[in-house]
Amino acid sequence: MAKEKYVYFFGGGKAEGRADMKEFLGGKGANLAEMTNLGIPVPPGFTIGATVCDIYYKQGEQYPEGLREEVADHLDRLEKLMKKKLGDPANPLLVSVRSGAAISMPGMMDTVLNLGTNDETVKGLEKMTGERFAWDAYRRFIQMFGNVVMGIDGEEFEHVLDAQKKSRGVELDTELSADDLREIVKNYKVLYKKKTGEDFPQDPLLQLWKSIDAVFGSWNNDRAIKYRAINEIRGLLGTAVNVQTMVFGNAGDDSGTGVCFSRDPSTGEKVFYGEYLMNAQGEDVVAGIRTPESLDDMSRELPEIYKQLVDIKDKLEQHYKDMQDMEFTIEKGTLYMLQTRTGKRTAQSAVTIAVSMEKEGLIDKKKAVNRVAPAQLDQLLHPMIDPKEKVDVIAKGLPASPGAAVGEIVFTAQMAEEEAARGKNVILVRLETSPEDIGGMNVAKGILTARGGMTSHAAVVARGMGKCCVAGCSGVRIKNDSECEIGDAAFKAGDYISLNGTTGEVIRGQVKLVEPEPTGDFATLMGWADEMRTINVRTNADTPADAENARKLGAEGIGLCRTEHMFFEGDRIDAVREMILSEDEAGRRKALAKLLPMQQSDFEGIFKAMDGLPVTIRLLDPPLHEFLPHKDEEIRELSETMGVPFDKLVQKVESLKEFNPMLGHRGCRLGITYPEIYEMQVEAIVAAAVAMQKAGVKVLPEIMIPLIGTVEELRILEELTRRIAEKVIKEQNEKIEYMVGTMIEIPRAALVADKIAEVAEFFSFGTNDLTQMTFGYSRDDAGVFLPEYVAKGILEKDPFQALDQEGVGQLVDLGIKRGRQSRKNLKVGICGEHGGEPSSVMFCHKVGMNYVSCSPFRVPIARLAAAQAALAD
């Protein structure tokens, strides 16, 4: 049996790996191999596969047998290729050790640079590169190794560095001499020993293995775990480890480092976009510690390097057929590529790039539709600052991630999480963000940083999250964790500011936000999606305004109109309460007579808005006590309005209270005990349909009876519905086509769906309630423990956000199959909020539903998800 291969080499124009080996080599390792095979200049090295990370954790942080020997063989191969040796005092090889999972997780795991530097090799470096460079490389290595590998707070090293700069009267690291750097290295070693109890390791192999340990260990650090949870990244083996020859962007004024994108990641425009710093190393651009220059500057200052970079960018985009995010280093005038990956982008950019690449012939329409994540579209539908609003701009930074945000200032990630948990909208204001801030960035409405460029940590992460971000705003001066200055104004934690991530403006106070109207490339992409999908998309809407809005966003009808929402409008609630508090049927009918014209008017508005499209109207569902006041002062006020004694009202309110309303007197049970309620509603629906049809509107009403558990319940209420409908139709002498169906939201209904379908003409799965009853979780209370269930892996996702396909999904699938045994042409849809969640939409397609229904702003998400489901077939 062949021995398993754990390590793959790249260099010398050939690589053992390929781009399609991301699961094993990680995104970074697979793409380094692919670039090598494409003839692109990549510093040679080797990748330890993610399988090792999986084994490392399963075996209690032990490596698989033979790994150390395999790494030694590949190191020997690298040394021969580079004609240098790790630890050789005369001709030292220095390497970087970097993480790289199959899915990009920028900044979440660890990196060590300049590995192989020690008291002897620094002398060899001095001869090769000069004294100052050699000692700068050594001090950087000790600082990074001490922080990343040994867990020493990075601030401790910064204090030593700052003290040396202060003593020399200089501001920049680059102003320190070689002797200054020697002194810093000496003091760093003292700090290292004080913090770890041991001398800084001089053996390069020990340095290498400790660094490999640290990178594998970082797979399960807090920030990486939180990042994977936020981005729902699951099922990966772990991280790979890339050991790569160092190239130095800080080797003088003819050296530099940078980050670039083959297209603008914010807008999708086809422009070469990026930043670089001369005489800088690795993390300096991304960390945002110095303000970088743009590629436009490079085209003037380094025209030959710029042309090389453009050629490589074009080659990589043509090869991968997607927008690329690249890192590069220039060492002594020679260009090297350190990484390429699919670039993270905003929703606007994703749509623009997909449509542009189809027009350029790079990809076809199917690939374009699959290229945009449905959930991303949510960003496109988020608010923007009202163009009519007069704003007080107090500072301007870089427009790092578009959109707008309004909130109270917080200065730490922890503060952001605490205030957001209290229901507040917050703006996270930082000097610069770091990977440790991921939790606060996730809950913040927007992010503002004083330092950093368009490719800083804050910018990259915010774009991936769809968060509004203004970066590198020099007008921000943070004093402490509770105060700052922005422009000329002083602010405290809790003060309001607004951000315009599209222009980079910071605005005093709260501004009005408006909903955008997506057009252009968005409309093109959605048109392609509509051509490909086979399942219809409706909306949940209770008002004509919601219906019109949803129709603009592509809704093909209403899948759920909740009639009870209309009862809370204006003075209607008085008539509803009068009906509930009546002593007998006659009293109830008298009150319902007042509600009838109001309900009819509502339905007329909805039918008009949905002219030519089906409208499913659910008859009254919630228990009656929800319409009554519960506080003494509110009951007293109602007592005076209705002329009913206070004590009598209190007694009535108490009598209607239920221990568990979900399982109580609601839905079809109300219709059976108080049929006059459903009679009024059916009359209002059909009368509205008749009136609108006479006015030239095409009406397609579908009357839905909620909470059915037995076919007998449905039979009684279906007969009531048809009796009232036919009475209205006969009186009005107008023919109306209508359907009567039911919601399947009780597990028993799914199990006896064959019997229910003998009466119902359509099913609509109410998966919110079906999830509650299948799991035995209350939607109102589950928030207390569900996050912990997801964090501990008890549940993969919150089942109220994404349909539980394994359990609840079985009931849905069974209900559809049994229903269609009895009625082959049974129309089936879903009207729970799962109807707008991409993975749930794909499930609905798979089980053969006719449509999904969701809230208006999720309609485009459902349309795109439905197209991707059809393409997956």
Side-chain angles (χ1 to χ4, degrees), residues 294-541:
S294 74
L295 291 182
D296 287 341
D297 299 324
M298 181 189 274
S299 68
R300 290 186 296 272
E301 292 168 20
L302 302 165
E304 287 184 23
I305 294 286
Y306 179 76
K307 185 180 181 307
Q308 262 184 284
L309 197 56
V310 168
D311 290 344
I312 289 169
K313 172 265 294 186
D314 290 341
K315 187 174 190 176
L316 287 172
E317 189 176 89
Q318 287 286 330
H319 180 74
Y320 284 101
K321 301 193 186 307
D322 203 351
M323 186 260 276
Q324 294 300 293
D325 168 1
M326 297 153 282
E327 292 177 20
F328 62 89
T329 287
I330 306 157
E331 183 184 72
K332 298 286 183 187
T334 301
L335 177 67
Y336 296 93
M337 300 307 292
L338 303 185
Q339 173 161 290
T340 191
R341 60 189 172 196
T342 301
K344 291 194 180 297
R345 63 204 77 180
T346 61
Q348 179 190 339
S349 174
V351 170
T352 299
I353 289 170
V355 173
S356 300
M357 286 190 167
E358 191 276 339
K359 288 177 181 169
E360 292 162 28
L362 265 181
I363 58 176
D364 60 20
K365 287 181 184 178
K366 290 178 181 177
K367 277 208 173 79
V369 165
N370 268 327
R371 190 60 62 81
V372 180
Q376 252 193 315
L377 295 184
D378 211 19
Q379 294 175 32
L380 278 181
L381 307 167
H382 279 172
M384 54 190 270
I385 293 173
D386 187 342
K388 298 173 191 153
E389 188 90 325
K390 286 184 180 172
V391 297
D392 180 9
V393 177
I394 50 175
K396 192 162 184 183
L398 299 170
S401 187
V406 178
E408 296 179 26
I409 293 174
V410 293
F411 294 95
T412 67
Q414 185 181 347
M415 202 188 298
E417 291 187 77
E418 287 168 0
E419 293 303 307
R422 294 189 184 105
K424 292 187 178 176
N425 294 334
V426 297
I427 304 281
L428 180 61
V429 180
R430 301 283 280 154
L431 187 62
E432 64 206 15
T433 63
S434 71
E436 281 76 13
D437 296 327
I438 187 70
M441 295 173 79
N442 182 49
V443 298
K445 292 293 178 185
I447 298 155
L448 171 64
T449 67
R451 296 203 301 219
M454 296 290 277
T455 52
S456 64
H457 178 267
V460 172
V461 174
R463 279 198 295 272
M465 288 178 161
K467 299 273 176 189
C468 166
C469 176
V470 174
C473 182
S474 58
V476 174
R477 295 171 297 283
I478 296 171
K479 294 184 172 181
N480 49 49
D481 282 356
S482 59
E483 293 175 288
C484 75
E485 289 176 354
I486 305 175
D488 297 324
F491 290 85
K492 298 192 298 295
D495 288 344
Y496 275 94
I497 57 168
S498 303
L499 302 180
N500 187 335
T502 309
T503 62
E505 292 172 336
V506 183
I507 297 159
R508 190 196 304 271
Q510 303 179 66
V511 299
K512 184 183 174 190
L513 303 182
V514 293
E515 303 296 341
E517 289 193 21
T519 52
D521 290 336
F522 176 82
T524 301
L525 186 78
M526 296 313 296
W528 295 343
D530 291 341
E531 288 168 19
M532 293 167 198
R533 65 185 167 89
T534 57
I535 191 170
N536 288 344
V537 178
R538 298 193 193 182
T539 189
N540 300 344

Side-chain angles (χ1 to χ4, degrees), residues 678-848:
Y678 277 16
E679 286 175 8
M680 180 277 289
Q681 291 195 297
V682 173
E683 185 175 344
I685 293 166
V686 180
V690 168
M692 284 297 97
Q693 188 164 285
K694 284 180 177 176
V697 173
K698 187 176 180 184
V699 291
L700 298 165
E702 299 175 351
I703 301 169
M704 185 158 70
I705 297 160
L707 218 71
I708 290 294
T710 71
V711 71
E712 288 78 13
E713 288 170 316
L714 180 60
R715 190 168 281 121
I716 290 167
L717 294 173
E718 188 260 357
E719 286 170 359
L720 176 152
T721 300
R722 293 202 182 277
R723 172 169 53 80
I724 299 297
E726 294 307 321
K727 173 175 165 282
V728 175
I729 289 166
K730 189 175 178 184
E731 286 171 356
Q732 296 289 332
N733 196 23
E734 186 85 12
K735 188 170 171 56
I736 293 285
E737 295 293 330
Y738 66 94
M739 296 176 77
V740 182
T742 188
M743 281 184 91
I744 305 289
E745 49 195 327
I746 290 176
R748 188 181 192 280
L751 298 173
V752 297
D754 50 342
K755 291 181 179 173
I756 289 173
E758 290 170 6
V759 181
E761 292 177 287
F762 68 86
F763 285 175
S764 179
F765 283 87
T767 49
N768 299 349
D769 282 352
L770 189 59
T771 298
Q772 283 196 104
M773 289 205 250
T774 304
F775 272 102
Y777 298 161
S778 160
R779 259 184 303 167
D780 299 324
D781 304 322
V784 176
F785 61 86
L786 276 183
E788 196 167 337
Y789 269 41
V790 174
K792 288 182 173 172
I794 297 167
L795 294 171
E796 193 175 313
K797 293 180 180 179
D798 180 337
F800 292 109
Q801 292 178 18
L803 185 69
D804 162 48
Q805 296 181 23
E806 184 183 31
V808 178
Q810 270 197 68
L811 286 168
V812 173
D813 190 22
L814 184 72
I816 293 170
K817 284 175 177 160
R818 291 195 174 170
R820 286 184 175 152
Q821 283 171 14
S822 300
R823 191 184 291 267
K824 283 188 170 52
N825 63 344
L826 182 73
K827 187 192 282 190
V828 179
I830 182 177
C831 62
E833 265 307 297
H834 296 117
E837 192 279 321
S839 68
S840 309
V841 173
M842 291 187 177
F843 172 81
C844 294
H845 168 90
K846 189 173 74 178
V847 296

Side-chain angles (χ1 to χ4, degrees), residues 182-368:
R182 278 192 186 89
E183 186 69 19
I184 289 167
V185 166
K186 188 177 87 176
N187 291 333
Y188 272 8
K189 285 190 200 169
V190 171
L191 172 65
Y192 184 95
K193 184 159 188 180
K194 179 184 170 189
K195 292 292 177 183
T196 66
E198 55 192 55
D199 290 327
F200 184 77
Q202 295 296 304
D203 178 357
L205 283 177
L206 180 62
Q207 295 173 357
L208 177 64
W209 278 103
K210 275 184 172 287
S211 299
I212 291 169
D213 291 348
V215 173
F216 281 132
S218 71
W219 175 251
N220 277 337
N221 69 30
D222 288 343
R223 64 178 185 261
I225 290 168
K226 191 169 270 193
Y227 186 90
R228 291 198 294 274
I230 289 166
N231 291 280
E232 296 187 352
I233 297 170
R234 297 183 185 87
L236 301 186
L237 289 167
T239 182
V241 174
N242 299 286
V243 178
Q244 190 174 15
T245 306
M246 283 297 303
V247 285
F248 297 99
N250 59 332
D253 292 336
D254 58 354
S255 303
T257 185
V259 176
C260 57
F261 296 82
S262 60
R263 303 190 186 216
D264 188 320
S266 287
T267 66
E269 191 183 350
K270 194 178 180 181
V271 292
F272 194 21
Y273 174 99
E275 299 168 323
Y276 73 105
L277 278 171
M278 295 308 285
N279 201 11
Q281 191 175 25
E283 303 298 301
D284 294 353
V285 176
V286 176
I289 292 160
R290 281 165 58 193
T291 301
E293 295 181 80
S294 74
L295 291 182
D296 287 341
D297 299 324
M298 181 189 274
S299 68
R300 290 186 296 272
E301 292 168 20
L302 302 165
E304 287 184 23
I305 294 286
Y306 179 76
K307 185 180 181 307
Q308 262 184 284
L309 197 56
V310 168
D311 290 344
I312 289 169
K313 172 265 294 186
D314 290 341
K315 187 174 190 176
L316 287 172
E317 189 176 89
Q318 287 286 330
H319 180 74
Y320 284 101
K321 301 193 186 307
D322 203 351
M323 186 260 276
Q324 294 300 293
D325 168 1
M326 297 153 282
E327 292 177 20
F328 62 89
T329 287
I330 306 157
E331 183 184 72
K332 298 286 183 187
T334 301
L335 177 67
Y336 296 93
M337 300 307 292
L338 303 185
Q339 173 161 290
T340 191
R341 60 189 172 196
T342 301
K344 291 194 180 297
R345 63 204 77 180
T346 61
Q348 179 190 339
S349 174
V351 170
T352 299
I353 289 170
V355 173
S356 300
M357 286 190 167
E358 191 276 339
K359 288 177 181 169
E360 292 162 28
L362 265 181
I363 58 176
D364 60 20
K365 287 181 184 178
K366 290 178 181 177
K367 277 208 173 79

Side-chain angles (χ1 to χ4, degrees), residues 6-25:
Y6 294 121
V7 188
Y8 282 68
F9 194 82
F10 56 89
K14 284 198 317 192
E16 295 173 331
R18 301 181 309 277
D20 61 3
M21 295 174 68
K22 283 185 181 176
E23 291 301 315
F24 178 78
L25 295 175

